[in-house]
Amino acid sequence: MAGHSKWKNIQHRKGRQDAIRGKLFAKLTREIYVAARQGDKDPANNTKLRLAIEKAKTQNMPNDNIERAIKKAAGAIDGENYEEITYEGYGPTGIAVMVEALTNNRNRTAADLRHIFSKRGGNLGESGCVSWMFNRKGLFVLDRDQVNMDEEELLLLSLENGAEDFEATEKAYEITTTPELFEEMKKVLESEGLTFTAAEVTWIPSNKMYIQGETVKQMLGLIEALEDHDDVQNVYANFDVDEDELAKYA
């Protein structure tokens, strides 16, 4: 899992760009809408909705937008029906890529993503072709400079509360849990006054492919193009790259 914070940093930079273009709030609204549509409209009784709302709030999304999405899901406001679909494929040099989408037209979305993959040195694959390379995990990324305890204390706290893995990188700490223990771990860390660069249930690759040079440029271009698509919510890939290489192209 080491180096996952680098991948998150790519997404955070891209997230800020999306916010400028007005796309990020639209994607967050859709995520809240679908979570509320599929379960209880009260976030206290709907974990998926609760996490979607927390994610929106970390991006400073107004409460009015959040409430409107939930009301739309409840039928108080007319809305469209979206379905969750995960697309799988390969990037340059065979890098595994998973794309989570919310769409009201799966044929259109599939055609669009197939074109994006093909144009940028990859190809859209069949369901199941790369998902076996990823595991569903709870992930917390903490900025080392913002942590108010030493590494050994944080490690012990994490392991005592069910962490599966703890990784210290140059700039961050990365803690993984099972999805079932995600919320419990979040409460424990927050009770210690800790804040997160990222806190989410996500897909983490079981192994990674190291890339450099032109492949880094191609891969970042593919990620950017996929995330630019209105239906795409999240993109995951199993590559690793040195910070210096990342700085050249990101």
Side-chain angles (χ1 to χ4, degrees), residues 58-70:
T58 62
Q59 298 293 338
N60 299 315
M61 185 170 170
N63 286 331
D64 286 349
N65 295 44
I66 295 171
E67 292 172 4
R68 191 179 303 116
I70 296 173

Side-chain angles (χ1 to χ4, degrees), residues 196-248:
F196 317 108
T197 302
E200 59 188 344
V201 177
T202 185
W203 289 103
I204 295 179
S206 54
N207 57 70
K208 292 186 178 181
M209 180 182 298
Y210 177 78
I211 60 173
Q212 58 185 338
E214 188 66 21
T215 305
V216 177
K217 182 179 179 180
Q218 290 178 317
M219 194 62 216
L220 294 183
L222 173 59
I223 293 170
E224 183 171 1
L226 288 169
E227 289 192 332
D228 265 341
H229 194 283
D230 289 341
D231 295 343
V232 172
Q233 298 295 113
N234 299 293
V235 180
Y236 308 96
N238 73 334
F239 71 90
D240 195 9
V241 58
D242 289 339
E243 291 281 3
D244 291 343
E245 283 286 296
L246 186 62
K248 288 180 187 178

Side-chain angles (χ1 to χ4, degrees), residues 89-104:
Y90 300 93
T93 69
I95 295 166
V97 181
M98 290 178 60
V99 181
E100 291 181 337
L102 293 175
T103 179
N104 58 2

Side-chain angles (χ1 to χ4, degrees), residues 77-187:
I77 303 173
D78 290 337
E80 295 181 275
N81 289 320
Y82 291 96
E83 59 179 321
E84 296 177 286
I85 303 177
T86 299
Y87 297 91
E88 303 177 37
Y90 300 93
T93 69
I95 295 166
V97 181
M98 290 178 60
V99 181
E100 291 181 337
L102 293 175
T103 179
N104 58 2
N105 186 330
R106 60 164 58 207
N107 292 332
R108 178 202 65 218
T109 303
D112 289 350
L113 296 188
R114 184 173 292 107
H115 175 72
I116 290 171
F117 270 96
S118 178
K119 187 176 180 180
R120 288 163 180 82
N123 62 282
L124 188 65
E126 298 294 327
S127 178
C129 68
V130 301
S131 57
W132 59 273
M133 302 183 198
F134 295 80
N135 297 305
R136 193 70 169 167
K137 299 291 182 181
L139 172 69
F140 301 89
V141 180
L142 298 82
D143 187 329
R144 289 186 75 121
D145 294 337
Q146 302 299 318
V147 173
N148 57 6
M149 61 179 68
D150 64 35
E151 183 177 320
E152 187 173 341
E153 287 179 308
L154 181 59
L155 171 61
L156 185 59
L157 177 68
S158 302
L159 295 178
E160 286 178 342
N161 288 279
E164 287 192 337
D165 194 12
F166 179 94
E167 189 73 34
T169 65
E170 184 179 345
K171 297 181 180 180
Y173 296 113
E174 302 174 5
I175 302 166
T176 54
T177 70
T178 62
E180 293 76 19
L181 288 179
F182 173 81
E183 289 198 86
E184 183 178 331
M185 178 67 76
K186 188 171 185 289
K187 290 177 182 177

